[in-house]
Amino acid sequence: MLQAINLTKSYGAFTALNNLNLSVQAGDIFCLLGANGAGKSTTINLFLNFIEPTEGQATIDTLDVSQHPKKTKQLLSYIPENLRLYPNLTGLENLEFFCRLGGKRHTNDQLQELLLQSGLQADFIHQRVSNYSKGMRQKVGIALARARQAKVLLLDEPTSGLDPKASNEFSELLLDMKEKGVTTLMATHDLFRAKDTGTHIGIMKEGVLVEQFATAEVSFQDLEQLYLKHMHN
Amino acid sequence: MYRLLTKQFIRSRSTVIVTLLVLALGIISVLMGEQFLNKQQRAIDEVAHYQQEHIQQNAQWHADDLGLLLYYLRFTFINSFDPLTALSIGQRDVNSSIQRVTIRGLEGQKYDTDLHNPTNLQVGNLDFGFVIIYLFPLLIIAFTYDLLSEEKEGGTWRLISSQASSPLLYLRYKLSVRVGLVYAVWFLLWVCAQLKLPLSLDMNTLVFIVLSGLYLVFWLALCAWVVSWQRSSSFNALSLLSVWVVLAVLLPASLNSLLANLYPVPEALSTMVEQRDGYHEKWDLEKETTMNSFFAEYPQYQKYSVPEEGFSWLWYYAMVHLGDAESRQSSEAMREKIRQREQASRIAAWFIPPLHTQLLFNDLAQSSLDNYLSFLDGTEDFHEKMRLYFYPKIFEEASVGKENWESFTPEYFADAPEVNGVLAFAPLLLLTIGLFAFAVLNARKLKALE
């Protein structure tokens, strides 16, 4: 579903992402681990077509995102580290707004149901987003992905700064989406969350994917050892 | 989409405050315009009544001397105004629309004005034109400066870029909501003006409306261009406010100063001195010299003789007329300089939209300097008409009682403004199209990430 083929991004002499080859199958949750500046967000941005690759291709459902930006946008939903919504609108209105922006129309009842399914408390649905916590905003993001019926979810450190309960709720929502066949590429620093939620893990260092494996193949301790080994070398 | 964008926009407290402020100032400007019109109309009504009272009283006091009576009598000449004057008061604020002239020397009477409270003059009138030209651009700047930057700074742009099939289209939607609110305020103020003022929907009013609307489009284009640079909110705000200061204040003031230096008017003083000297020195000259000059201009009065000794009205009115005649060259030179200044202002104004719009508003509202100069020309004609009517009667020592004084009601000067549609709209249109074109070119490079 998601594929990076010799994907490279350079800024002058600096190479942010170097010859990335990656394949994420439909329904998988692929977690990219790595320190700051390892190239995780650059990878996400390339799949979002926010930036042009210097070399290589990023494809979604076999479509090159640079060549087919409109079609690939229809397939994906994106939740950044800190999902920002319009503070003057309610959660429901924000959801309706972003759905319409992507060309999707839902009734108010459907949108409310999606927000409830995404874990937002009913009391908050009609409150302005200025009153929302970060976790609540991320839930609106998940509701948006559901509303858009996205096949691909691109997440850039979505649980960063969330408390453990909210983080756990978010992981459950991802697993629920996985059950529905949604493919997820998630950049994260959280080893525990990656092992707990992901189906595959890739470790990035200085723009290079240095390791990738299925989470079932490693224990949490092994993952931690492996990660620290790469970070210290 | 529009519903949600509108909700999002008008739920902002600053949007509500700025909109209400401009709306309130606009309504005040219409009310001030109405007040101005009423004041003018009252003055005209009163002056018509006062003229008759003044003539009847003086005719009684000087019943046996027509020359003496006409020394005192003042005849009213009124620069008629269009209701549009209420929207753009212009020169009417400082230059009197009512001239009350005797048939004596005109130069000394031309520039008599009403009594004004200097404090009020200093503050100036808040007319509708001011609201359109100076305040609406600020409203547009306040609504649009962060059109894109607020999304980037607020963190929503990444989400929009990832969701919207065309982020540029989204920005157009967003801009159109703001444009809609600007024009809603503009429309409401026009409705208010229509309700409060006796405006007729003639060509001048329509041109005024279209011009004011087009002027706002110019500012929208300017804002769109600055926004398309994709810089920060503070940069955009500072840039747009700087442009506003330059276009609305700095350039017009500098141009005024430049033109005052390029076309100095020393004749303003010399005209007055020449007229006064021209008249006063005649008292010491031989009557024959004076009369020869007078008869050279008006040979039809040669049949009237002036006694060698003593006073005669023929001699007196010849002296005061020659005062005007001798200052005519300076007077015309002054008028020519003022016209040159005006002409240069109008050409420069093609590149300064606020000034261009202001000049056209004043033209349409008959409150321009051109209108005032034409009124002065009309006053000269009126003065001459009255002189030539009364001269023979004075020189023949006609009876005061035989004159039908009631027929001397105020006369009106009517100026039909001629606004060239191409010259009126072309500069604004060209600048607007240019700015929008630049904005569109920049917008094509719209980036999701800085």
Side-chain angles (χ1 to χ4, degrees):
Chain A
M1 177 57 76
L2 281 176
Q3 208 170 7
I5 306 161
N6 302 326
L7 195 59
T8 301
K9 179 66 187 176
S10 301
Y11 298 96
F14 173 70
T15 304
L17 189 67
N18 194 357
N19 201 29
L20 175 71
N21 284 289
L22 174 74
S23 185
V24 185
Q25 302 306 313
D28 279 358
I29 299 177
F30 195 106
C31 298
L32 286 173
L33 290 172
N36 290 336
K40 306 186 297 291
S41 295
T42 303
T43 306
I44 300 276
N45 287 336
L46 283 162
F47 275 106
L48 284 165
N49 194 34
F50 283 179
I51 48 177
E52 291 280 327
T54 311
E55 277 177 47
Q57 280 183 314
T59 68
I60 297 177
D61 204 11
T62 70
L63 296 170
D64 187 331
V65 296
S66 305
Q67 303 297 319
H68 306 280
K70 287 189 181 172
K71 281 185 183 167
T72 51
K73 262 186 200 176
Q74 293 294 324
L75 298 172
L76 64 85
S77 199
Y78 164 64
I79 301 178
E81 177 183 355
N82 195 355
L83 182 70
R84 298 289 188 164
L85 301 167
Y86 292 108
N88 290 334
L89 298 181
T90 66
L92 183 69
E93 287 167 344
N94 264 290
L95 184 57
E96 186 187 356
F97 176 82
F98 283 106
C99 281
R100 288 189 174 218
L101 199 62
K104 300 274 182 193
R105 282 174 180 266
H106 296 278
T107 64
N108 262 8
D109 288 345
Q110 287 171 328
L111 293 173
Q112 283 191 48
E113 187 55 34
L114 285 165
L115 284 168
L116 289 171
Q117 282 173 9
S118 303
L120 192 70
Q121 290 166 274
D123 294 350
F124 281 91
I125 288 174
H126 296 288
Q127 282 195 29
R128 290 195 189 183
V129 162
S130 51
N131 298 326
Y132 281 24
S133 67
K134 182 182 171 184
M136 290 159 88
R137 292 201 305 272
Q138 302 295 74
K139 284 172 184 170
V140 175
I142 290 289
L144 178 59
R146 286 169 186 256
R148 283 170 58 83
Q149 296 163 316
K151 288 185 176 176
V152 172
L153 199 51
L154 296 171
L155 308 174
D156 195 357
E157 301 182 23
T159 55
S160 165
L162 290 185
D163 63 52
K165 182 171 175 288
S167 200
N168 192 51
E169 283 172 1
F170 191 83
S171 292
E172 283 175 11
L173 290 170
L174 288 188
L175 290 171
D176 184 47
M177 302 272 284
K178 173 184 178 307
E179 292 304 312
K180 292 184 169 82
V182 175
T183 309
T184 303
L185 178 64
M186 175 166 72
T188 181
H189 288 293
D190 188 341
L191 268 63
F192 175 76
R193 199 59 55 200
K195 165 72 179 137
D196 189 46
T197 318
T199 57
H200 293 79
I201 290 175
I203 298 175
M204 296 192 74
K205 187 181 178 186
E206 294 168 359
V208 178
L209 184 66
V210 289
E211 195 97 48
Q212 61 173 317
F213 43 83
T215 45
E217 292 170 5
V218 291
S219 66
F220 180 72
Q221 284 79 7
D222 292 341
L223 172 63
E224 192 175 27
Q225 293 284 326
L226 202 58
Y227 181 75
L228 289 173
K229 184 188 91 179
H230 283 297
M231 292 307 109
H232 288 145
N233 283 341
Chain B
M1 178 61 92
Y2 277 117
R3 176 176 55 83
L4 289 165
L5 278 169
T6 307
K7 265 188 189 178
Q8 179 206 336
F9 185 50
I10 62 173
R11 277 182 187 168
S12 158
R13 198 172 295 166
S14 56
T15 302
V16 175
I17 291 171
V18 173
T19 307
L20 289 179
L21 192 67
V22 173
L23 201 55
L25 286 167
I27 291 170
I28 290 169
S29 75
V30 171
L31 295 177
M32 286 181 84
E34 185 193 26
Q35 202 174 25
F36 177 80
L37 274 194
N38 290 341
K39 189 180 152 197
Q40 291 281 309
Q41 194 54 55
R42 263 200 314 275
I44 289 170
D45 293 344
E46 280 173 16
V47 85
H49 169 74
Y50 177 73
Q51 173 153 313
Q52 268 312 307
E53 195 178 88
H54 164 77
I55 290 175
Q56 297 304 336
Q57 274 182 353
N58 278 281
Q60 278 181 5
W61 292 336
H62 310 293
D64 53 353
D65 190 343
L66 187 63
L68 184 59
L69 174 61
L70 285 159
Y71 177 91
Y72 289 110
L73 283 193
R74 289 181 177 275
F75 300 95
T76 307
F77 191 57
I78 298 169
N79 188 2
S80 55
F81 56 86
D82 190 285
L84 276 176
T85 312
L87 301 181
S88 187
I89 295 170
Q91 293 283 320
R92 298 273 183 154
D93 209 10
V94 284
N95 294 324
S96 180
S97 302
I98 301 174
Q99 291 276 22
R100 296 184 60 246
V101 292
T102 67
I103 63 167
R104 287 180 276 142
L106 179 64
E107 265 326 305
Q109 306 179 70
K110 259 188 195 170
Y111 305 102
D112 287 349
T113 63
D114 298 334
L115 285 177
H116 291 289
N117 180 340
T119 317
N120 287 348
L121 277 184
Q122 195 176 21
V123 174
N125 269 324
L126 176 77
D127 60 15
F128 188 71
F130 180 88
V131 173
I132 293 284
I133 292 168
Y134 298 97
L135 301 187
F136 261 88
L138 293 176
L139 181 73
I140 292 169
I141 290 171
F143 279 1
T144 55
Y145 78 98
D146 61 350
L147 190 77
L148 172 60
S149 54
E150 78 163 349
E151 304 284 359
K152 289 191 172 180
E153 288 157 16
T156 44
W157 187 241
R158 289 177 70 98
L159 196 57
I160 287 164
S161 299
S162 71
Q163 308 284 317
S165 52
S166 167
L168 189 57
L169 187 65
Y170 162 73
L171 285 181
R172 279 191 214 147
Y173 281 143
K174 197 176 166 187
L175 179 63
S176 59
V177 168
R178 280 144 178 80
V179 171
L181 189 55
V182 168
Y183 277 98
V185 174
W186 173 82
F187 179 74
L188 276 177
L189 290 179
W190 271 110
V191 170
C192 177
Q194 192 68 45
L195 292 175
K196 293 299 291 178
L197 302 170
L199 298 177
S200 53
L201 268 182
D202 58 11
M203 188 50 77
N204 280 353
T205 309
L206 287 176
V207 172
F208 200 114
I209 292 172
V210 172
L211 187 65
S212 66
L214 183 61
Y215 177 71
L216 302 190
V217 179
F218 161 77
W219 278 97
L220 284 164
L222 182 66
C223 289
W225 180 52
V226 171
V227 165
S228 74
W229 299 345
Q230 301 181 50
R231 307 290 290 269
S232 68
S233 296
S234 54
F235 178 87
N236 289 352
L238 195 65
S239 305
L240 286 166
L241 286 175
S242 303
V243 172
W244 180 85
V245 169
V246 169
L247 288 182
V249 183
L250 195 66
L251 283 180
S254 306
L255 182 67
N256 186 41
S257 173
L258 177 72
L259 293 179
N261 282 304
L262 283 177
Y263 304 106
V265 190
E267 294 87 354
L269 176 66
S270 62
T271 302
M272 191 187 74
V273 172
E274 282 171 18
Q275 189 267 337
R276 290 184 69 83
D277 285 353
Y279 156 58
H280 285 290
E281 71 181 7
K282 304 274 179 306
W283 288 96
D284 303 320
L285 292 179
E286 290 295 324
K287 283 180 183 167
E288 192 184 354
T289 315
T290 302
M291 294 319 298
N292 285 344
S293 303
F294 183 69
F295 291 144
E297 192 170 347
Y298 298 115
Q300 67 269 38
Y301 302 133
Q302 274 179 337
K303 61 185 176 189
Y304 303 111
S305 60
V306 175
E308 284 191 14
E309 294 297 321
F311 178 82
S312 94
W313 284 116
L314 172 54
W315 178 47
Y316 173 77
Y317 283 111
M319 285 196 292
V320 291
H321 171 70
L322 290 175
D324 272 352
E326 287 173 22
S327 62
R328 190 170 295 147
Q329 205 175 357
S330 293
S331 178
E332 282 172 2
M334 180 173 78
R335 296 281 298 283
E336 183 53 30
K337 296 263 183 75
I338 293 173
R339 285 201 192 277
Q340 282 173 346
R341 277 188 190 179
E342 180 73 355
Q343 191 60 27
S345 292
R346 283 175 187 275
I347 292 168
W350 291 346
F351 307 97
I352 311 171
L355 184 58
H356 176 74
T357 311
Q358 178 75 73
L359 289 171
L360 286 170
F361 277 178
N362 290 350
D363 283 341
L364 293 162
Q366 298 177 26
S367 58
S368 63
L369 185 59
D370 268 351
N371 169 272
Y372 178 62
L373 293 176
S374 301
F375 176 53
L376 288 183
D377 289 342
T379 307
E380 271 184 29
D381 294 343
F382 173 71
H383 182 258
E384 186 175 32
K385 187 182 91 172
M386 299 309 284
R387 276 190 301 118
L388 298 186
Y389 176 76
F390 282 112
Y391 275 171
K393 294 183 184 248
I394 296 168
F395 304 156
E396 287 166 9
E397 297 179 356
S399 163
V400 170
K402 283 189 177 169
E403 190 63 51
N404 178 17
W405 295 109
E406 285 181 4
S407 66
F408 291 96
T409 52
E411 291 190 21
Y412 288 84
F413 170 74
D415 184 26
E418 285 176 19
V419 174
N420 181 322
V422 174
L423 289 181
F425 297 124
L428 275 177
L429 267 176
L430 289 175
L431 285 171
T432 302
I433 290 168
L435 287 168
F436 267 131
F438 282 126
V440 169
L441 283 177
N442 285 343
R444 284 185 180 174
K445 301 173 209 156
L446 196 62
K447 292 171 282 186
L449 297 175
E450 282 299 304

